[in-house]
Amino acid sequence: MTMQGFVALEDGTVYEGEGFGASGEAAGEVVFNTGMTGYQEVLTDPSYSSQIVTMTYPLIGNYGVNDTDAESNRVQVSGFVVKEHCPYRPTSRRRKRCRATWPTTISWASRESTPAR
């Protein structure tokens, strides 16, 4: 079942996409991260607390998460916006969990159907 997701900006601009992960609403400053790897670190980094992080790298989730790369003991971001999330089981030998088993305190939204800006 596909969940509809939206990102609504202060100026009234609304982006629609496919939601995945936790349902609900999140508020925060929208920021971006240009890293090609390290999404687990971004999600758990306290410096991103209460922010909605947009990743510029197009595919997120392909190597899963593990117990050693977290920057804190919980997800810190209010939301996470990606172009495409990996729907398959990650194959990294270090993987302990995949995105689907992360705590549901995070809202994920995919920009797959959002026009590029």
Side-chain angles (χ1 to χ4, degrees):
M1 182 173 154
T2 301
M3 180 174 36
Q4 201 169 19
F6 299 93
V7 175
L9 302 179
E10 187 175 29
D11 70 358
T13 305
V14 177
Y15 296 96
E16 183 179 347
E18 176 186 324
F20 60 101
S23 62
E25 294 183 12
E29 174 186 24
V30 178
V31 298
F32 65 92
N33 182 285
T34 60
M36 293 177 64
T37 62
Y39 55 83
Q40 177 177 349
E41 291 88 338
V42 169
L43 291 169
T44 58
D45 187 337
S47 71
Y48 286 114
S49 178
S50 302
Q51 294 179 323
I52 299 169
V53 179
T54 301
M55 298 298 289
T56 60
Y57 191 72
L59 179 62
I60 300 298
N62 53 326
Y63 58 84
V65 296
N66 62 63
D67 295 330
T68 58
D69 290 342
E71 297 294 313
S72 68
N73 62 354
R74 68 179 184 85
V75 172
Q76 300 284 339
V77 302
S78 292
F80 200 50
V81 181
V82 303
K83 178 170 176 36
E84 180 183 1
H85 67 91
C86 183
Y88 305 107
R89 182 182 179 98
T91 58
S92 171
R93 64 178 172 77
R94 297 179 64 222
R95 175 194 52 82
K96 297 292 183 194
R97 297 183 296 281
C98 63
R99 176 201 45 82
T101 62
W102 270 54
T104 57
T105 56
I106 183 169
S107 297
W108 301 73
S110 173
R111 297 183 308 182
E112 291 173 340
S113 62
T114 301
R117 297 258 172 193

